[in-house]
Short mmCIF file of all heavy atoms in Angstrom, two decimals:
data_model
loop_
_atom_site.label_atom_id
_atom_site.label_comp_id
_atom_site.label_asym_id
_atom_site.label_seq_id
_atom_site.Cartn_x
_atom_site.Cartn_y
_atom_site.Cartn_z
N ASP A 1362 17.79 -28.64 -17.41
CA ASP A 1362 18.59 -29.28 -16.37
C ASP A 1362 18.85 -30.74 -16.72
O ASP A 1362 18.09 -31.35 -17.46
CB ASP A 1362 17.87 -29.22 -15.01
CG ASP A 1362 17.80 -27.82 -14.46
OD1 ASP A 1362 18.42 -26.92 -15.07
OD2 ASP A 1362 17.14 -27.62 -13.43
N ASP A 1364 18.91 -33.19 -14.49
CA ASP A 1364 18.44 -34.12 -13.46
C ASP A 1364 17.01 -34.59 -13.66
O ASP A 1364 16.37 -35.04 -12.72
CB ASP A 1364 18.61 -33.49 -12.07
CG ASP A 1364 17.89 -32.15 -11.98
OD1 ASP A 1364 17.29 -31.73 -12.99
OD2 ASP A 1364 17.94 -31.53 -10.91
N SER A 1366 14.40 -33.00 -14.00
CA SER A 1366 13.36 -32.15 -13.40
C SER A 1366 12.47 -31.56 -14.48
O SER A 1366 11.30 -31.31 -14.26
CB SER A 1366 14.01 -30.99 -12.62
OG SER A 1366 14.54 -31.46 -11.43
N ARG A 1473 14.48 -33.89 -8.41
CA ARG A 1473 15.41 -34.90 -8.91
C ARG A 1473 15.32 -36.18 -8.08
O ARG A 1473 15.01 -36.16 -6.90
CB ARG A 1473 16.83 -34.37 -8.90
CG ARG A 1473 17.29 -33.90 -7.52
CD ARG A 1473 18.80 -33.78 -7.42
NE ARG A 1473 19.37 -32.64 -8.11
CZ ARG A 1473 20.34 -32.75 -9.00
NH1 ARG A 1473 20.80 -33.94 -9.31
NH2 ARG A 1473 20.84 -31.69 -9.57
MN1 MN B 1033 17.53 -29.87 -10.07
#
Side-chain angles (χ1 to χ4, degrees):
D1362 290 354
D1364 56 359
S1366 286
R1473 57 162 74 234

